[in-house]
Amino acid sequence: MTTNSVISIQNLDHYFGHSQLRKQVLFDINLEINAGEIIIMTGPSGSGKTTLLTLLGGLRSAQSGSLKVLGKELCGASQNQLTEARRQHGYIFQAHNLHGSLTALQNVKMGLELHKDISLEEMQTRSAQMLEQVGLGNRLNYYPDDLSGGQKQRVAIARALVSHPKIVLADEPTAALDKKSGRDVVEMMQKLAKEQGCTILLVTHDNRILDIADRIVYMEDGRLANNPKAAALVE
C-alpha cells in the first residue's frame, strides 16, 4: 500500500454461495486508489461493480486476497471491524434511501448519529450548513415527498458528506435523474469532495458523467479490464 493510498486491493477473489452452488464473482482484482481521487467504475450489468463496492464499504466481508481501506485489512474482518469501517464512509445510493417520515434536516442528521462525540446542537448546525451547501437551505423542514428527484439526491449527498468522511461510495447516483439533474448532482459531489479532501468511488452506467473522473476503472465478468473508449473520456 503506497503512502497516499486510501484503498489498496491485491489479488482479491470473491464467491457467492456454498459447495456445488459456489460461484466466483470477482477474479484477481488489483487496484490502488489515492486520497482525493474521484474514480468512476463502469462496465456491463452483472460485471461485479456493486459487489466490489459493498466489500469496500464493509457491507460484507472480503474472502480471499487483501482489501485494505484506510490502512485496515477488511479481508476476513469481524462484524465489529466491519461496523467500525462503515463509520469512516459516506454512502450514496441509486434510490436515495431517505426516510419518508423525517424532514430533509433530520435525514441529514442521521449521517452524524453514529458519531457520539458530536452534540445534538452541533449535529443540527452542521446538517443545516450542509443542506445550505447543496442548495437546499430553504428546504430544511420539507419531507421527501415534497422534494423533486434531484432535490432528494442532494439530501442524500448532504447526508453522506456531513460527517466529513474520508471515502464516499456511490452506486448509480444519477440513474433515476434526468440529464441536467444528474449532471448537477455529480458536479456537486465533485465540488464538495474536493473541498473536504475526500475520495469518491462512483459506480455508474451513465456515460454523460464520465468526464468528472480523475480515472475510470472498467469491469467486465468480475475482472478489471481495459476500455480505451472510457479512458479517452478523461484525458
Side-chain angles (χ1 to χ4, degrees):
M1 186 162 175
T2 63
T3 49
N4 208 25
S5 295
V6 292
I7 293 170
S8 179
I9 306 172
Q10 293 177 334
N11 310 119
L12 181 72
D13 295 328
H14 196 72
Y15 303 82
F16 286 152
H18 299 282
S19 59
Q20 282 98 332
L21 297 176
R22 193 171 191 242
K23 182 185 177 207
Q24 189 165 357
V25 290
L26 294 178
F27 300 81
D28 196 29
I29 304 290
N30 289 276
L31 182 64
E32 299 275 332
I33 296 176
N34 294 324
E37 272 195 297
I38 296 178
I39 303 290
I40 283 183
M41 191 184 300
T42 188
S45 293
S47 58
K49 304 183 302 295
T50 296
T51 299
L52 183 55
L53 204 69
T54 59
L55 293 175
L56 286 166
L59 299 174
R60 53 164 64 102
S61 182
Q63 298 161 341
S64 169
S66 173
L67 190 155
K68 287 185 179 167
V69 179
L70 300 171
K72 299 279 170 55
E73 179 61 70
L74 296 189
C75 198
S78 68
Q79 282 306 314
N80 284 346
Q81 289 168 321
L82 293 176
T83 300
E84 198 52 46
R86 288 196 291 272
R87 289 182 179 165
Q88 310 294 316
H89 307 147
Y91 298 92
I92 303 167
F93 301 99
Q94 174 179 339
H96 36 75
N97 288 5
L98 301 181
H99 287 263
S101 60
L102 301 179
T103 64
L105 185 70
Q106 290 167 329
N107 268 289
V108 174
K109 191 160 73 72
M110 288 185 71
L112 293 170
E113 285 174 353
L114 285 172
H115 300 266
K116 305 298 182 198
D117 53 329
I118 302 175
S119 70
L120 197 57
E121 188 180 0
E122 191 185 341
M123 283 185 191
Q124 293 280 116
T125 303
R126 276 174 64 171
S127 300
Q129 286 171 343
M130 200 71 223
L131 282 165
E132 187 79 44
Q133 280 187 270
V134 300
L136 292 176
N138 59 345
R139 298 281 192 278
L140 301 187
N141 298 313
Y142 281 54
Y143 289 90
D145 280 352
D146 301 319
L147 299 172
S148 70
Q151 288 171 333
K152 288 176 192 173
Q153 202 58 302
R154 289 182 190 205
V155 175
I157 290 170
R159 180 180 59 192
L161 289 169
V162 70
S163 64
H164 290 204
K166 295 201 169 61
I167 298 172
V168 169
L169 302 171
D171 195 3
E172 297 282 5
T174 64
L177 302 177
D178 62 47
K179 182 177 178 180
K180 180 170 189 323
S181 300
R183 187 82 210 170
D184 289 348
V185 157
V186 293
E187 285 180 352
M188 194 170 300
M189 284 170 63
Q190 182 185 38
K191 174 177 176 285
L192 293 171
K194 291 295 184 193
E195 285 172 2
Q196 293 188 8
C198 96
T199 301
I200 291 183
L201 180 59
L202 191 158
V203 164
T204 190
H205 286 106
D206 189 348
N207 292 334
R208 302 168 303 185
I209 63 168
L210 297 184
D211 59 302
I212 69 138
D214 297 313
R215 190 154 47 105
I216 292 176
V217 174
Y218 186 77
M219 279 195 87
E220 195 164 7
D221 297 329
R223 293 175 168 85
L224 293 185
N226 292 321
N227 183 359
K229 280 189 196 166
L233 285 163
V234 289
E235 285 174 2

